[in-house]
């Protein structure tokens, strides 16, 4: 009976954390992103993802614009955290693992993008830049 309950709980947790994938475009750069648009997915974040390729990331989609605060829970590599509201970049910060630093958004946002550290600089990201989240990809 215990085993059956444990299997049921594990299955429910895994089902709740299944990641949708999509593409996201910033200027001329396109990224393959994990989409975290549920509370469970936003809570998990990149914690279970061992590394990101240079063209990968995670986008956190919120139902309304609000102040958001992120931290590096379970992430063992540096990332750029990009704050976005209504498709416009409000700012970004490079976050480093191994500490409990909190990273608050510079204002109310409805989307947060996490990319490999240095990507924002490499692509010439600017405040006011446009971010386009494309339709989810089936079977990706």
């Amino acid at each position: 009976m215990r085993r059956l309950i444990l299997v049921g709980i594990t299955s429910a947790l895994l089902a709740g954390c299944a990641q949708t994938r999509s593409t996201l475009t910033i200027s001329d750069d396109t990224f393959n992103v994990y989409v975290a648009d549920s509370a469970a997915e936003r809570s998990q974040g990149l914690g279970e993802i061992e590394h990101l390729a240079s063209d990968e990331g995670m986008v956190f989609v919120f139902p309304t614009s609000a102040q958001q605060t992120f931290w590096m829970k379970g992430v063992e590599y540096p990332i750029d955290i990009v704050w976005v509201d209504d498709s416009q970049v409000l700012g970004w910060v490079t976050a480093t693992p191994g500490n409990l630093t909190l990273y608050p958004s510079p204002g109310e946002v409805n989307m947060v993008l996490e990319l490999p550290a240095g990507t924002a600089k490499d692509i010439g990201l600017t405040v006011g830049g446009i971010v386009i989240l494309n339709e989810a990809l089936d079977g990706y």
Side-chain angles (χ1 to χ4, degrees):
M1 181 69 163
R2 270 191 200 167
R3 180 175 282 171
L4 182 59
I5 292 171
L6 182 57
V7 169
I9 291 170
T10 302
S11 296
L13 288 173
L14 290 175
C17 294
Q19 293 290 324
T20 302
R21 298 285 301 240
S22 186
T23 58
L24 182 137
T25 305
I26 305 171
S27 300
D28 294 330
D29 297 285
T30 300
F31 297 89
N32 298 310
V33 293
Y34 297 95
V35 179
D37 58 1
S38 71
E41 291 168 343
R42 289 190 294 266
S43 177
Q44 179 62 46
L46 289 172
E48 298 276 324
I49 298 172
E50 292 182 15
H51 74 283
L52 290 173
S54 62
D55 68 341
E56 289 185 316
M58 177 172 271
V59 61
F60 297 79
V61 181
F62 298 94
T64 60
S65 295
Q67 180 74 37
Q68 300 295 333
T69 301
F70 277 55
W71 64 321
M72 297 290 289
K73 177 183 169 190
V75 182
E76 298 182 13
Y77 45 90
I79 58 173
D80 286 345
I81 300 174
V82 181
W83 310 106
V84 180
D85 192 52
D86 292 331
S87 300
Q88 290 193 339
V89 174
L90 294 186
W92 67 90
V93 63
T94 299
T96 56
N99 62 48
L100 298 178
T101 300
L102 298 178
Y103 299 94
S105 61
E108 293 186 347
V109 297
N110 60 3
M111 188 184 321
V112 177
L113 175 61
E114 294 181 340
L115 299 168
T119 301
K121 181 179 177 186
D122 291 346
I123 67 171
L125 189 67
T126 59
V127 171
I130 301 298
V131 176
I132 300 169
L133 179 60
N134 302 304
E135 259 185 67
L137 301 173
D138 292 331
Y140 181 58

